[in-house]
Amino acid sequence: MKRDNELAIGVDLGGTKILVALVNRKGKSSYSMKARTFSSSNSDIADRVIYMIHELLRKSGCGINAISAIGIGAAGLLDPDTGVIYESPNMKIKRDYDLKTPVEREFLVPVFVDNDVNLGTYGEYVFGAGKGVKSLVGIFVGTGIGGGIVLNGDIYHGFTKAAGELGHIIINFDGRPHPFKTAPKGTLEAYAGRIAIVMEIKKAVERGEKSIVPEIINGDWQSFKSGDFKKALEKGDKVVAKALNKASGYLGIGIASIAHVLSPEMVVLGGGIIEAAGSYMLPRIIKKVKKRGFEPCIRGMKIVEAEMEDESIVVGAATLAFNRSEKEFG
Amino acid sequence: MKRDNELAIGVDLGGTKILVALVNRKGKSSYSMKARTFSSSNSDIADRVIYMIHELLRKSGCGINAISAIGIGAAGLLDPDTGVIYESPNMKIKRDYDLKTPVEREFLVPVFVDNDVNLGTYGEYVFGAGKGVKSLVGIFVGTGIGGGIVLNGDIYHGFTKAAGELGHIIINFDGRPHPFKTAPKGTLEAYAGRIAIVMEIKKAVERGEKSIVPEIINGDWQSFKSGDFKKALEKGDKVVAKALNKASGYLGIGIASIAHVLSPEMVVLGGGIIEAAGSYMLPRIIKKVKKRGFEPCIRGMKIVEAEMEDESIVVGAATLAFNRSEKEFG
């Protein structure tokens, strides 16, 4: 039974921040809160999620009885059927960590867990740039590159539940080692993730090319943030423009390769780097896709920027929770 | 209504040969015929298909009333909903060629057309190596490299209907031009298709490496056939072994990349080169997938040889025709 005034809670659980929101059937968030993922008061991740949901309910004045379901998007490899996180390099949890059960026991409403990037893609599919398309690929470019796939209305998980690891597609088999060394070499992430782009800029600066980046970051390369790309572009920094142009080309090659496999109706690009430099990068990405893509696979494919920014994951998580709880519990 | 004695006709329409078969519900072909695609008596492709079906019915003694549906696997880019072939470099037909309508008008039974590689993959899914799996990727290595994808029981076509062009995935963005120049450079096909492998062998021979290939092919490189790989391997030819080892590595890299996108339960490898040298290549392909694949995406994925050889397309085509005609006409 769909009621327009129904609410679900969406949780975006990342390695550094946690965002919780009250979301209605129409994908509108009426109240949200953000905090650090790790706090001295909650040493356990599930405890932290539970605490944040209690805070959200208390501060918004919403009773738990008004909540139909809870959806959690977690950074990590997990099983969406059981809510168990196999591993998450950023969250300091033990392997096979059950996130679903403690949250479900605390609030006695259905809880659904999925990968954060999958839910960001799903959020864009239900209420963002991908509304109405039949197949959507989401690519989120930040420190790394995450991917999500929605086919015929459902998140596509594949056999291992780890499908859509689009940052790991190999674009150059003889290519660069992965910056974290935890993944195969020559991957899209090794060429177009933030770490790769910053390395490119740093090398150019060390070669003596003129750039305002050292000034923006005050000489501390570790402090380089996605927003700094925007600042540098606005000031006409050629080193940054060149590095982003190269990254756009790599992304275009990756998207071409993905299109040869999946031929999606739309590719949505999001994440910190696209939010900062999307207007510069998108035309360059599209140009490369057209150059390197096999035409029958890319004909009519749309490549657009994500529309929901920070909200895509909480809205995607809450909407998935609505839909799955209806499907599973009627 | 499923009847075990029902029959469909499967057609495998390639650039050089056409195979037609009577196939029952269990995927068994009771009668089949093979001929050249181009003949002096039938200048038009649809006429040729119609002629071959009449011959099949006549010689087998089967009446058209016993036939529930006709399925055609055609080499080319086409729309499976309308049966129109957009383009087919090997079949000398005009663009947007309607193959379905004339065949349907002639026999007055439902006709379904799909890409031949898609139907080969589907054949392996319903009655071959892929029986019972939920997601299957088929890779057919011959002159070029074709691909097909079956997800949850259905052929996956994607937005453009051209999904699964797996030979075109880019494995090295700075890499080799495509041998036909009709497709992007640095693709799997440019590295591991027959043309690429034969070029590799030819170069080694020209460098003076010892090989029995010049003797097998009598100096005519154009006459090199997939079966010649088998002959050379059996005689311990090191040049051929080295070239096939390299091609296996490229295929492994391509499969790893595909797994990062789709994470299929199984990859089925077929086509002339795999039929000739599969026992040599498969272990090498699997080794490379394990080395270059991101472990969470390839865990438990099976990589196996196709089981149906020449029959996969006619059986896939006939079975699809059974299933689609039931779905569409009850």
Side-chain angles (χ1 to χ4, degrees):
Chain A
M1 189 99 78
K2 287 195 189 190
R3 288 168 296 143
D4 269 2
N5 60 344
E6 255 185 305
L7 290 173
I9 290 172
V11 180
D12 171 1
L13 177 61
T16 52
K17 64 165 183 50
I18 175 170
L19 179 65
V20 292
L22 284 173
V23 179
N24 71 10
R25 276 275 175 197
K26 292 176 175 163
K28 291 285 168 227
S29 147
S30 53
Y31 199 92
S32 69
M33 285 169 53
K34 200 188 249 185
R36 297 197 147 273
T37 301
F38 296 99
S39 98
S40 49
S41 50
N42 308 110
S43 58
D44 181 72
I45 283 284
D47 287 348
R48 185 68 176 156
V49 170
I50 289 168
Y51 169 83
M52 287 296 292
I53 292 174
H54 276 303
E55 283 291 287
L56 178 76
L57 292 170
R58 192 176 63 78
K59 289 198 178 158
S60 67
C62 175
I64 186 69
N65 291 336
I67 304 298
S68 300
I70 296 169
I72 306 174
L77 290 156
L78 51 82
D79 183 342
D81 296 324
T82 60
V84 170
I85 303 176
Y86 302 134
E87 56 183 279
S88 172
N90 304 322
M91 282 205 292
K92 307 175 197 166
I93 50 178
K94 65 177 186 353
R95 283 186 75 93
D96 298 332
Y97 177 89
D98 180 354
L99 178 61
K100 175 191 167 96
T101 306
V103 181
E104 209 157 52
R105 283 203 184 135
E106 178 73 16
F107 297 104
L108 300 173
V109 298
V111 173
F112 302 94
V113 182
D114 208 319
N115 172 269
D116 56 351
V117 184
N118 286 352
L119 289 176
T121 305
Y122 189 67
E124 290 290 338
Y125 166 75
V126 279
F127 294 112
K131 255 184 300 187
V133 304
K134 282 206 163 171
S135 49
L136 179 69
V137 164
I139 301 177
F140 293 83
V141 189
T143 309
I145 295 181
I149 299 169
V150 174
L151 299 180
N152 290 319
D154 289 319
I155 297 170
Y156 177 79
H157 292 102
F159 177 64
T160 60
K161 320 278 184 194
E165 282 287 342
L166 305 179
H168 288 316
I169 62 166
I170 298 159
I171 61 169
N172 182 1
F173 59 71
D174 269 337
R176 285 185 202 163
H178 193 274
F180 312 141
K181 311 273 187 218
T182 51
K185 70 175 176 175
T187 62
L188 181 57
E189 187 165 280
Y191 281 90
R194 179 164 51 214
I195 293 174
I197 303 171
V198 173
M199 289 281 279
E200 189 85 21
I201 296 168
K202 189 164 178 265
K203 270 190 221 157
V205 167
E206 285 167 357
R207 275 196 307 267
E209 292 182 37
K210 206 170 155 268
S211 167
I212 59 159
V213 168
E215 190 186 314
I216 293 176
I217 60 172
N218 207 3
D220 176 11
W221 289 93
Q222 295 292 327
S223 76
F224 200 116
K225 284 179 193 63
S226 290
D228 296 333
F229 290 122
K230 189 172 187 169
K231 285 184 205 162
L233 280 180
E234 280 167 358
K235 296 196 173 160
D237 193 298
K238 282 191 185 142
V239 167
V240 169
K242 218 166 100 184
L244 289 173
N245 185 40
K246 266 178 120 170
S248 302
Y250 297 134
L251 283 164
I253 286 161
I255 292 168
S257 232
I258 292 163
H260 299 160
V261 180
L262 276 179
S263 187
E265 185 169 351
M266 181 184 278
V267 174
V268 168
L269 287 151
I273 291 180
I274 302 294
E275 281 165 34
S279 61
Y280 179 80
M281 293 174 77
L282 259 283
R284 289 165 174 82
I285 292 169
I286 292 168
K287 193 176 160 198
K288 189 64 102 178
V289 172
K290 288 198 172 148
K291 188 172 173 202
R292 300 298 296 267
F294 184 55
E295 202 273 332
C297 298
I298 61 168
R299 203 175 288 170
M301 177 174 78
K302 291 171 272 296
I303 302 175
V304 301
E305 271 190 68
E307 287 176 1
M308 300 173 73
E309 298 190 1
D310 266 8
E311 287 221 315
S312 64
I313 296 171
V314 288
V315 169
T319 306
L320 185 85
F322 274 132
N323 294 344
R324 282 189 61 182
S325 85
E326 215 161 68
K327 212 167 161 184
E328 290 176 29
F329 305 104
Chain B
M1 187 99 78
K2 288 194 189 191
R3 289 167 296 144
D4 270 1
N5 60 345
E6 254 185 304
L7 290 173
I9 290 172
V11 180
D12 171 0
L13 177 61
T16 52
K17 65 166 182 50
I18 174 170
L19 179 65
V20 291
L22 283 173
V23 180
N24 71 10
R25 275 272 175 203
K26 292 178 174 162
K28 292 285 169 226
S29 146
S30 53
Y31 199 93
S32 68
M33 285 169 52
K34 199 189 250 185
R36 298 199 145 273
T37 300
F38 297 100
S39 98
S40 50
S41 49
N42 308 110
S43 58
D44 181 73
I45 283 285
D47 287 348
R48 185 68 175 158
V49 170
I50 289 168
Y51 170 81
M52 287 297 291
I53 292 174
H54 275 303
E55 283 293 286
L56 178 76
L57 292 170
R58 193 176 63 79
K59 289 196 179 159
S60 67
C62 175
I64 187 68
N65 291 335
I67 304 299
S68 299
I70 296 169
I72 306 173
L77 290 157
L78 51 83
D79 183 341
D81 296 325
T82 60
V84 169
I85 303 176
Y86 302 135
E87 56 183 275
S88 173
N90 303 322
M91 282 205 293
K92 309 174 196 166
I93 50 178
K94 65 176 182 358
R95 283 187 76 95
D96 298 331
Y97 178 88
D98 180 355
L99 178 60
K100 176 190 166 98
T101 306
V103 181
E104 211 158 51
R105 283 203 183 136
E106 177 74 16
F107 297 103
L108 300 172
V109 298
V111 173
F112 302 96
V113 182
D114 208 321
N115 173 270
D116 56 351
V117 184
N118 286 352
L119 289 176
T121 305
Y122 189 68
E124 290 290 336
Y125 165 76
V126 279
F127 294 112
K131 256 184 298 190
V133 305
K134 282 206 165 172
S135 49
L136 178 69
V137 164
I139 301 177
F140 294 82
V141 189
T143 310
I145 296 181
I149 300 169
V150 174
L151 299 180
N152 290 320
D154 289 318
I155 296 170
Y156 176 79
H157 292 103
F159 176 64
T160 60
K161 320 280 185 195
E165 282 286 342
L166 305 179
H168 288 316
I169 63 166
I170 298 159
I171 62 169
N172 181 0
F173 57 72
D174 270 337
R176 283 186 203 161
H178 192 274
F180 312 141
K181 311 275 187 216
T182 51
K185 69 175 177 174
T187 62
L188 181 56
E189 187 165 280
Y191 282 90
R194 178 166 50 213
I195 293 175
I197 303 172
V198 173
M199 289 282 277
E200 189 85 21
I201 296 168
K202 188 162 178 266
K203 271 190 220 156
V205 168
E206 285 167 356
R207 275 195 307 268
E209 291 182 39
K210 208 171 153 267
S211 166
I212 58 159
V213 168
E215 191 186 313
I216 292 176
I217 60 171
N218 207 3
D220 176 11
W221 289 94
Q222 294 292 327
S223 76
F224 200 117
K225 285 182 194 61
S226 290
D228 296 332
F229 290 122
K230 190 171 187 172
K231 287 184 204 161
L233 280 179
E234 280 168 359
K235 296 198 173 159
D237 193 297
K238 281 188 185 143
V239 167
V240 168
K242 220 168 97 185
L244 289 173
N245 185 41
K246 268 180 119 169
S248 302
Y250 297 133
L251 283 165
I253 286 162
I255 292 168
S257 233
I258 292 163
H260 299 160
V261 180
L262 276 180
S263 188
E265 185 170 350
M266 182 184 277
V267 175
V268 169
L269 287 152
I273 291 179
I274 301 294
E275 281 166 33
S279 61
Y280 178 82
M281 293 174 77
L282 258 282
R284 289 165 174 82
I285 292 169
I286 292 168
K287 194 176 159 199
K288 188 63 100 177
V289 172
K290 288 197 173 147
K291 189 174 172 203
R292 299 299 294 270
F294 183 55
E295 202 274 332
C297 298
I298 61 169
R299 204 176 285 169
M301 177 175 78
K302 289 172 275 296
I303 301 175
V304 301
E305 270 189 68
E307 287 176 0
M308 300 173 73
E309 299 189 359
D310 265 9
E311 286 221 315
S312 65
I313 296 171
V314 287
V315 169
T319 307
L320 185 85
F322 274 132
N323 294 344
R324 283 190 61 182
S325 85
E326 215 162 68
K327 213 167 161 186
E328 292 176 27
F329 305 104

